Amino acid sequence: MGNLYESIFNNTQDGIAVIGGHNMISECNHALEKITGYSRNEILGYGYADFLKNILKVRETADFTEKSRFRITTKNNEKRTVRVSAVKPDSDAETIVYFHDITACTEMREKDKTLYRNIFDSANDAILIMEDSKFTDCNGKTLEIFGVSAKKDIINHGLWEFSPAKQPDGSDSFIKAAEIINTALSGTPRRFYWKHKKADGSLFDTEVSLNRIKGYRGYLLAMIRDITFTRQTGEQLKKLRITMEQSPVSIVITDLDGNIEYINPKFSEITGYSLEEVRGKNPRILKSGETSDGEYKKLWETITGGRIWRGEFHNLKKNGQLYWESAVIAPVKDDNGKITNFIGVKEDITELKRLQNQLIMAQKMESIGNLTGGIAHDFNNILTAINGNAELILTDLKKGDPLYEEIRAIYESGGKAAELVSKLLAFSRRQIIKPQIIDINTIIDNLFSILPRIIGENISLKKKLSNTLYSIEADPSQIDQILINLAVNARDAVNNNLPGKTEKLISFETRNVTITEDYIINHPGSYKGNFVLFSVSDNGTGMDEDVKRKVFEPFFTTKGKERGTGMGLSTVYGIVKQNHGFIYIYSEMNRGSVFKVYWPACAEKTPDKTNHTERAVPAQGGETIMLVEDDESVLRFTERALKTLGYTILTANNGKEALSLITGDTEAVDLVISDVVMPEMGGIELAEKIRELKPETKFLFTSGYTESELKNTNLIQKPYSISELSKYIEEIISEGKK
């Protein structure tokens, strides 16, 4: 057995020294030689304490019965760490001292400690160790986020000391921090958002987690992450999302193949499609066929080439309804400039298109009006000469004369031409009018007694007239013309009605309205103020969009060549515009039409018409009349006609010539008959200059058209007849003799 124990003694991994009397080392094994680098002979004979101090360079020793860890220096000057323990079986026995080499283990622990410290100090989040409620250690990131230069500014301070007095929810920082810390110390991990304060007093947002450190009572590990940038980014993303969701225009995002990945609510509102219905599909589901394939090809080439495409589509909603949209489609690129998606921003411009069409129509009507007005003016001069001379010839011929019927046919045709020109003037808003204060309800009531004879007894008429209607200022004959034309148009619509509608109905309505800014935005040509609205509606065939665009154009008709001239509604349009009103159509196919006329309201009340004055007794001729006319044919006809009536005539071709004659004339002029529109000096300016010299001078104006209303002015419309002219002259001269 002795050899066995000796073998165990020499082959064990721990070094063993046997301490005998006087604490001298009496024996050691091979492992101790290996650990210390000293041979057995060098070790034996040493006292234990001297061995540790002198040979192993250990500064302190311990009792044999205690376990101690020493850092020793070997004979080869290597540093080793050993754990020493002594065993003494009984008081009289030798002491056995074991040397366990823990160098490798210690070095590993040191490496781990260094690693953990590096991790601690290199973390991107602030890491702190707390004992109870105070910080005992921290890493470098802590100094950075709190804006301090040394750990001493952190250690021994509490969480609340780096906080504002109040948190965003209004709670006291000190009280709230104490509650959270106590909960964490009890073993419940805490994770929360906290508003912190830097050393310079600036605030920043953080996310904090507190965990109890196992095995260390009263210690907490705190990790603080600065989320200011994250929160700002999150807020920006939130705003972006809200903006996209609440955008007044539709937004669609597709992948590189053009397949839909995202749509905002406005897209769904306009098209009727939900995200689930269109996700993964191509926007071509909206195609109506009205945009060419070439345009789609151009679009795709533009955006895949990294450029922005702008244009318009006439697309189709889910319910089959067509709508217009303006679109901007662009590539979405990453930081490297690579296209990742495509985004389309689209706006429903259906209403804008409608308003544009209205504006284009209004501008076209204005242009046509200017053209027709100019033509009508020249035509009236021609007709004045033709009709007037025909009338003069007829007065000289007897009915049995072979030329009588031919001249009469010329005169009657001229009258029809004059009627057509009058309608053109009404459309161009250059018709001469004589406005007065009237109640339109009275006109409608009077009209109802004769309308059945005009439109037919088989059509029902209804009226809904306001009892508190404003007065209007208008020429009563023009209001009659508007209402009759609209009624005749409604008659034709209801007579073409679809089978199944037994009642043919035309309705008249009046009421007061106030036009506001909101109405003006959607109705070009209107303006703010108080108006009398009178409307004529029917339950007839209605109109499509193309007819509505053309309905007010002169000579446009859907009735055929034998049933109308196409001037009825254009005349209505011209009269309304001439009187500063506006008119709109509301119509759908097979659902009838409504024409709404907005006429400026008048504050004055309708005058009492019970008293009438007697007409002046015609004069007998012999007075001197100055005739001022720039059209030679009209001048010669009128001169001849007036001479046949017994008047003395002076003539001038323009205002300047007339002014020169009347200034140098010693004979008094009883009446000046002057054209309104003439070169060099017009009739109105001539009248002003003559009245400065001779205030008593009487005037009668003639005009093929006039740009403005001539209120309280004697005015005769071209073409005029001899009898009409004679009556005007007799009334003016007779009035002057009273």
Side-chain angles (χ1 to χ4, degrees):
M1 290 297 291
N3 290 334
L4 176 60
Y5 291 126
E6 182 178 353
S7 176
I8 293 172
F9 178 76
N10 283 317
N11 288 290
T12 185
Q13 296 297 313
D14 290 341
I16 301 174
V18 180
I19 310 302
H22 304 291
N23 289 330
M24 300 297 290
I25 299 174
S26 61
E27 190 59 80
C28 69
N29 65 352
H30 297 316
L32 186 59
E33 293 180 283
K34 184 177 179 181
I35 291 171
T36 64
Y38 290 96
S39 66
R40 178 172 178 274
N41 292 332
E42 290 173 318
I43 295 173
L44 298 180
Y46 264 96
Y48 175 64
D50 292 336
F51 172 73
L52 293 176
K53 288 181 179 180
N54 299 331
I55 298 179
L56 301 182
K57 309 296 190 294
V58 177
R59 296 179 180 179
E60 298 179 359
T61 59
D63 295 337
F64 294 136
T65 57
E66 293 182 359
K67 291 183 178 180
S68 301
R69 188 171 67 175
F70 298 111
R71 187 72 170 167
I72 66 172
T73 303
T74 68
K75 183 177 181 180
N76 298 325
N77 212 28
E78 293 178 2
K79 302 296 183 183
R80 286 186 177 276
T81 303
V82 295
R83 181 181 290 116
V84 179
S85 59
V87 177
K88 191 173 185 179
D90 55 58
S91 58
D92 295 331
E94 294 176 321
T95 300
I96 300 173
V97 180
Y98 295 92
F99 292 81
H100 182 61
D101 189 350
I102 60 172
T103 303
C105 181
T106 302
E107 288 178 352
M108 182 63 71
R109 288 181 178 176
E110 287 297 328
K111 286 181 180 179
D112 289 345
K113 183 178 179 181
T114 302
L115 175 62
Y116 292 140
R117 187 72 211 191
N118 287 339
I119 293 172
F120 182 78
D121 288 329
S122 302
N124 286 323
D125 295 330
I127 302 176
L128 304 97
I129 299 194
M130 300 178 66
E131 184 178 5
D132 294 328
S133 59
K134 298 288 186 179
F135 298 125
T136 59
D137 197 3
C138 67
N139 65 349
K141 189 66 176 182
T142 305
L143 309 183
E144 179 185 331
I145 70 168
F146 285 109
V148 298
S149 57
K151 287 187 177 182
K152 63 181 179 60
D153 299 317
I154 300 292
I155 294 173
N156 293 323
H157 292 278
L159 177 67
W160 59 88
E161 296 182 62
F162 298 95
S163 309
K166 300 285 186 181
Q167 287 299 303
D169 63 0
S171 60
D172 183 278
S173 292
F174 176 82
I175 296 174
K176 188 170 185 178
E179 292 174 352
I180 293 172
I181 290 171
N182 287 334
T183 303
L185 286 171
S186 69
T188 303
R190 294 299 307 271
R191 190 184 187 92
F192 54 95
Y193 294 107
W194 193 262
K195 182 74 76 174
H196 272 110
K197 182 174 66 175
K198 293 179 180 287
D200 61 6
S202 61
L203 303 179
F204 63 104
D205 295 308
T206 64
E207 181 183 24
V208 182
S209 62
L210 286 180
N211 290 277
R212 187 173 66 181
I213 301 175
K214 294 180 180 180
Y216 293 85
R217 184 179 179 81
Y219 280 85
L220 294 174
L221 177 67
M223 298 185 69
I224 302 175
R225 175 171 293 175
D226 186 347
I227 60 169
T228 304
F229 176 77
T230 304
R231 179 157 287 185
Q232 289 174 348
T233 302
E235 288 295 325
Q236 290 175 349
L237 290 173
K238 181 180 178 181
K239 289 178 182 178
L240 179 60
R241 179 185 60 79
I242 293 173
T243 301
M244 298 273 279
E245 297 294 304
Q246 299 181 8
S247 172
V249 296
S250 69
I251 299 172
V252 56
I253 298 175
T254 73
D255 60 19
L256 292 177
D257 294 323
N259 299 317
I260 295 173
E261 292 183 345
Y262 169 84
I263 59 170
N264 70 337
K266 191 66 177 182
F267 180 95
S268 297
E269 178 186 331
I270 293 173
T271 67
Y273 287 104
S274 67
L275 178 59
E276 290 71 23
E277 291 175 304
V278 300
R279 183 185 281 118
K281 296 181 180 179
N282 194 283
R284 69 173 65 96
I285 61 174
L286 302 174
K287 286 177 64 174
S288 65
E290 296 196 20
T291 302
S292 68
D293 291 338
E295 187 62 27
Y296 283 114
K297 182 180 178 182
K298 181 180 177 182
L299 183 162
W300 189 249
E301 289 174 349
T302 299
I303 61 176
T304 54
R307 301 183 304 278
I308 299 174
W309 181 89
R310 292 177 174 85
E312 293 180 354
F313 295 115
H314 203 192
N315 277 342
L316 202 64
K317 297 182 180 182
K318 181 181 178 181
N319 62 6
Q321 182 181 354
L322 286 168
Y323 71 103
W324 281 98
E325 66 177 1
S326 172
V328 178
I329 303 176
V332 179
K333 302 177 182 179
D334 61 17
D335 293 338
N336 297 319
K338 181 181 178 182
I339 298 176
T340 60
N341 294 89
F342 298 110
I343 183 170
V345 180
K346 305 178 181 182
E347 184 176 8
D348 186 345
I349 58 170
T350 306
E351 181 65 13
L352 178 62
K353 282 283 186 180
R354 185 185 69 80
L355 295 176
Q356 284 177 341
N357 289 336
Q358 283 187 355
L359 180 60
I360 290 170
M361 187 183 79
Q363 291 172 336
K364 181 168 66 174
M365 301 295 279
E366 185 70 24
S367 299
I368 296 173
N370 290 332
L371 176 63
T372 55
I375 293 172
H377 171 262
D378 294 338
F379 217 69
N380 270 335
N381 283 332
I382 297 171
L383 288 174
T384 301
I386 293 173
N387 294 354
N389 283 298
E391 186 180 9
L392 284 173
I393 295 172
L394 284 174
T395 58
D396 294 337
L397 294 176
K398 294 181 179 180
K399 288 188 178 181
D401 193 292
L403 293 177
Y404 186 86
E405 290 301 324
E406 283 81 356
I407 300 300
R408 182 177 179 83
I410 293 172
Y411 183 72
E412 289 177 351
S413 296
K416 291 179 180 179
E419 183 180 347
L420 178 60
V421 171
S422 177
K423 291 179 178 180
L424 287 172
L425 284 171
F427 168 74
S428 64
R429 293 169 270 164
R430 294 177 179 180
Q431 184 184 36
I432 296 173
I433 61 175
K434 296 178 180 179
Q436 53 187 273
I437 307 303
I438 61 173
D439 175 12
I440 196 170
N441 283 348
T442 301
I443 293 179
I444 293 175
D445 286 335
N446 294 336
L447 193 62
F448 258 57
S449 63
I450 64 170
L451 268 181
R453 294 194 295 274
I454 297 174
I455 65 175
E457 302 285 346
N458 63 328
I459 298 175
S460 300
L461 293 174
K462 290 185 179 180
K463 58 183 177 180
K464 182 181 179 183
L465 309 181
S466 170
N467 295 325
T468 58
L469 200 66
Y470 296 131
S471 299
I472 62 172
E473 187 174 14
D475 187 327
S477 65
Q478 286 191 322
I479 299 299
D480 283 336
Q481 194 174 6
I482 290 172
L483 292 171
I484 290 173
N485 279 342
L486 292 177
V488 169
N489 185 76
R491 175 202 66 189
D492 295 335
V494 298
N495 282 336
N496 291 328
N497 209 343
L498 294 174
K501 288 188 177 179
T502 56
E503 185 183 26
K504 298 177 180 181
L505 177 64
I506 300 175
S507 301
F508 293 75
E509 182 181 355
T510 62
R511 57 189 171 93
N512 298 324
V513 295
T514 299
I515 300 301
T516 63
E517 194 70 39
D518 290 339
Y519 186 89
I520 294 172
I521 293 172
N522 295 313
H523 295 81
S526 61
Y527 58 94
K528 291 192 294 185
N530 294 323
F531 292 81
V532 170
L533 167 63
F534 57 97
S535 64
V536 178
S537 59
D538 63 71
N539 65 343
T541 53
M543 291 177 272
D544 60 26
E545 291 299 325
D546 185 58
V547 172
K548 283 195 287 184
R549 282 195 296 269
K550 300 176 182 177
V551 73
F552 291 126
E553 293 181 12
F555 309 112
F556 174 77
T557 179
T558 59
K559 302 174 186 177
K561 294 181 179 179
E562 304 301 323
R563 296 185 57 200
T565 63
M567 289 301 298
L569 293 179
S570 62
T571 300
V572 170
Y573 179 87
I575 292 173
V576 172
K577 288 296 183 180
Q578 184 181 22
N579 289 273
H580 313 298
F582 37 94
I583 181 170
Y584 294 108
I585 313 168
Y586 302 88
S587 181
E588 293 183 31
M589 289 300 297
N590 306 322
R591 300 190 66 178
S593 302
V594 182
F595 286 81
K596 293 185 177 182
V597 177
Y598 295 80
W599 201 281
C602 180
E604 299 180 47
K605 294 185 177 180
T606 307
D608 185 1
K609 297 183 178 180
T610 56
N611 296 324
H612 301 279
T613 56
E614 293 292 330
R615 182 170 176 169
V617 178
Q620 300 301 315
E623 287 82 6
T624 299
I625 296 175
M626 175 172 281
L627 180 61
V628 189
E629 172 64 59
D630 63 314
D631 188 287
E632 189 67 25
S633 61
V634 175
L635 179 68
R636 295 305 160 213
F637 149 68
T638 308
E639 179 184 14
R640 180 184 169 194
L642 293 178
K643 283 182 177 179
T644 62
L645 294 174
Y647 295 108
T648 301
I649 305 300
L650 302 174
T651 63
N653 292 111
N654 56 61
K656 281 189 176 182
E657 185 178 332
L659 184 62
S660 177
L661 286 172
I662 206 166
T663 303
D665 184 33
T666 55
E667 184 179 353
V669 175
D670 298 290
L671 176 66
V672 177
I673 300 177
S674 175
D675 192 9
V676 173
V677 180
M678 295 182 293
E680 297 191 43
M681 183 185 293
I684 304 300
E685 185 181 358
L686 172 63
E688 292 173 352
K689 292 186 178 295
I690 290 177
R691 281 174 177 151
E692 291 176 359
L693 301 172
K694 299 181 179 182
E696 72 283 357
T697 305
K698 302 294 182 181
F699 282 86
L700 172 61
F701 295 104
T702 69
S703 181
Y705 69 83
T706 180
E707 291 287 356
S708 59
E709 301 171 16
L710 296 175
K711 297 181 181 179
N712 304 317
T713 301
N714 296 317
L715 181 67
I716 186 170
Q717 172 79 55
K718 292 179 182 178
Y720 46 77
S721 66
I722 298 172
S723 58
E724 287 177 322
L725 183 61
S726 175
K727 288 178 182 179
Y728 269 96
I729 294 171
E730 289 171 357
E731 289 179 356
I732 295 169
I733 291 178
S734 298
E735 183 68 26
K737 289 181 177 180
K738 287 183 179 180

Coordinates of all heavy atoms in Angstrom, one line a residue, residues 1 14 51 122 168 173 252 335 375 380 471 498 528 567 638 709:
M1 N 0.8 -1.2 0.0 CA 0.0 0.0 0.0 C 0.9 1.2 0.0 O 0.5 2.3 -0.5 CB -0.9 0.0 1.2 CG -2.0 -1.0 1.2 SD -3.2 -0.8 -0.2 CE -4.0 0.7 0.4
D14 N -2.5 18.7 -7.9 CA -2.2 19.8 -7.0 C -0.9 19.6 -6.4 O -0.4 18.4 -6.1 CB -3.3 19.8 -5.9 CG -4.6 20.3 -6.4 OD1 -4.7 20.9 -7.5 OD2 -5.7 20.0 -5.7
F51 N 9.3 29.8 2.9 CA 9.1 29.3 1.5 C 8.1 30.3 0.7 O 8.4 30.6 -0.4 CB 8.4 27.9 1.6 CG 8.0 27.4 0.2 CD1 8.9 27.0 -0.7 CD2 6.6 27.3 -0.1 CE1 8.5 26.5 -2.0 CE2 6.2 26.8 -1.3 CZ 7.2 26.4 -2.3
S122 N -18.9 50.2 -24.0 CA -19.1 50.4 -25.4 C -20.6 50.5 -25.9 O -20.9 50.7 -27.0 CB -18.4 49.4 -26.2 OG -17.0 49.3 -25.9
P168 N -44.3 64.6 -18.7 CA -45.4 65.0 -19.6 C -46.8 64.8 -19.2 O -47.7 65.5 -19.6 CB -45.0 64.3 -20.9 CG -43.5 64.0 -20.8 CD -43.3 63.8 -19.4
S173 N -41.9 64.1 -10.9 CA -40.8 63.2 -11.3 C -40.2 62.5 -10.1 O -40.0 61.2 -10.2 CB -39.7 64.0 -12.0 OG -40.1 64.5 -13.2
V252 N -51.8 56.6 -54.9 CA -51.6 55.2 -55.2 C -50.2 54.9 -55.3 O -49.4 55.6 -56.0 CB -52.5 54.8 -56.4 CG1 -52.1 55.6 -57.6 CG2 -52.3 53.3 -56.7
D335 N -31.8 55.6 -51.4 CA -30.6 56.5 -51.2 C -29.6 56.3 -52.3 O -28.8 57.2 -52.6 CB -30.0 56.2 -49.9 CG -30.9 56.6 -48.7 OD1 -31.8 57.4 -49.0 OD2 -30.7 56.0 -47.6
I375 N -72.6 92.8 -86.8 CA -73.3 92.5 -88.1 C -74.7 93.2 -88.0 O -75.2 93.8 -89.0 CB -73.4 91.0 -88.3 CG1 -72.1 90.4 -88.6 CG2 -74.4 90.7 -89.5 CD1 -72.1 88.9 -88.6
N380 N -78.9 96.7 -89.8 CA -80.0 97.6 -89.5 C -80.0 98.9 -90.3 O -81.0 99.4 -90.7 CB -80.0 98.0 -88.0 CG -80.8 97.0 -87.2 OD1 -81.8 96.4 -87.7 ND2 -80.5 96.9 -85.9
S471 N -89.0 93.5 -56.1 CA -89.2 94.0 -57.5 C -88.0 93.9 -58.3 O -86.9 93.7 -57.7 CB -89.6 95.5 -57.3 OG -90.8 95.6 -56.6
L498 N -91.2 60.6 -73.3 CA -91.2 59.2 -73.4 C -92.6 58.6 -73.1 O -93.4 59.1 -72.3 CB -90.2 58.5 -72.4 CG -88.8 58.9 -72.7 CD1 -87.9 58.3 -71.6 CD2 -88.3 58.3 -74.0
K528 N -72.1 88.2 -56.4 CA -72.8 88.3 -55.1 C -73.9 89.4 -55.1 O -73.8 90.4 -55.8 CB -71.8 88.7 -53.9 CG -70.8 87.6 -53.6 CD -70.1 87.8 -52.3 CE -69.2 89.0 -52.4 NZ -68.4 89.2 -51.2
M567 N -83.2 80.6 -82.5 CA -82.8 81.9 -81.9 C -83.6 82.1 -80.5 O -83.3 83.1 -79.8 CB -83.2 83.1 -82.8 CG -82.4 83.2 -84.0 SD -80.6 83.5 -83.6 CE -80.8 85.1 -82.8
T638 N -84.2 109.1 -94.8 CA -84.8 109.8 -93.7 C -85.1 111.2 -94.1 O -86.1 111.8 -93.8 CB -83.9 109.7 -92.4 OG1 -83.6 108.4 -92.2 CG2 -84.6 110.3 -91.2
E709 N -77.7 101.1 -71.6 CA -79.1 101.5 -71.5 C -79.2 103.1 -71.5 O -78.4 103.7 -70.8 CB -79.8 101.0 -70.3 CG -79.7 99.5 -70.2 CD -80.1 99.0 -68.8 OE1 -80.7 99.8 -68.1 OE2 -79.9 97.8 -68.5

